[in-house]
Amino acid sequence: MTVLITGANRGIGRGLYDHYRTNGVPVMGTSRAGAAPFQQLDVCDSASLAALGDRLQGTALDLLICNAGVYLDKAESLETGYAGELWAQTFATNVAGVFRTVQSLLPNLRRVNAPKIAIISSRMASHERAPGGSYIYRASKAAVLNLGRNLATDLHNDGIAVGIYDPGWVVTDMGGSGAEITVAASVKGLSDRFAELSKATTGCFRCWDGRPQSY
């Protein structure tokens, strides 16, 4: 089994990277800077995506974890905030970046039996949970949830299972110090969810602890 994690240099991505490495699973991680031990990847940059594909040509991937993401509108005001550039940057990373990463690495996934794609979304994607605020982040995570569900349909005949996951509210730079769970708890739950993902459950939207999430 070989795993690739985008945005693996910090937070949940780094926790997942360390988890697989500690358990003896061949794992590769990416970061925008590309400092060792990570592969360089900017999910918004066509040349960077193409270069990663070239470097990994012929490499079989069992699990692609699309974790790279941004949360740029935490402190924005409804009256004066949410500038167009924030919308563009967020959707380029959190939505198009996921799609383009999957697109670039499909040849690698198709080299194995029963490959999997795990997309990190958020419970903030749910249309049933609407407490307000964080409009850009919520919209981007809802969009990538929709993206994942449609990828699950289109890749089903290829035998590629796609799952979408809420990592929980985690104590990271993004989640803040007042979050509910540790990186270790989130990582343990997520890795269990990825292990149980199959063609039978493709298109699922699950919380880190296994609870189904509302769409």
Side-chain angles (χ1 to χ4, degrees), residues 78-95:
L78 176 59
E79 289 76 16
T80 61
Y82 300 100
E85 307 88 74
L86 296 182
W87 287 91
Q89 291 171 30
T90 301
F91 271 73
T93 302
N94 293 0
V95 186

Side-chain angles (χ1 to χ4, degrees), residues 142-159:
V144 84
L145 168 58
N146 182 277
L147 173 68
R149 296 271 291 169
N150 282 281
L151 283 171
T153 297
D154 284 338
L155 296 176
H156 186 267
N157 288 340
D158 286 349

Side-chain angles (χ1 to χ4, degrees), residues 7-135:
N9 57 310
R10 62 179 183 172
I12 296 166
R14 183 57 187 260
L16 286 165
Y17 178 86
D18 290 342
H19 167 81
Y20 286 112
R21 185 181 59 177
T22 298
N23 285 278
V25 177
V27 58
M28 294 175 282
T30 75
S31 70
R32 276 181 290 184
F38 302 114
Q39 297 269 349
Q40 195 282 325
L41 177 65
D42 180 344
V43 299
C44 300
D45 183 79
S46 297
S48 180
L49 286 157
L52 179 66
D54 288 343
R55 291 196 302 274
L56 297 184
Q57 189 171 14
T59 300
L61 287 182
D62 296 272
L63 172 61
L64 169 62
I65 303 172
C66 295
N67 167 74
V70 295
Y71 186 178
L72 304 179
D73 61 320
K74 279 185 186 180
E76 294 295 298
S77 155
L78 176 59
E79 289 76 16
T80 61
Y82 300 100
E85 307 88 74
L86 296 182
W87 287 91
Q89 291 171 30
T90 301
F91 271 73
T93 302
N94 293 0
V95 186
V98 171
F99 178 81
R100 296 174 75 194
T101 300
V102 170
Q103 191 176 47
S104 297
L105 297 176
L106 272 178
N108 307 86
L109 291 160
R110 286 172 169 150
R111 295 180 70 88
V112 302
N113 292 322
K116 305 177 186 184
I117 299 169
I119 296 172
I120 303 301
S121 180
S122 170
R123 70 187 72 174
M124 292 168 76
S126 172
H127 71 272
E128 293 183 7
R129 299 180 76 256
S134 299
Y135 296 103

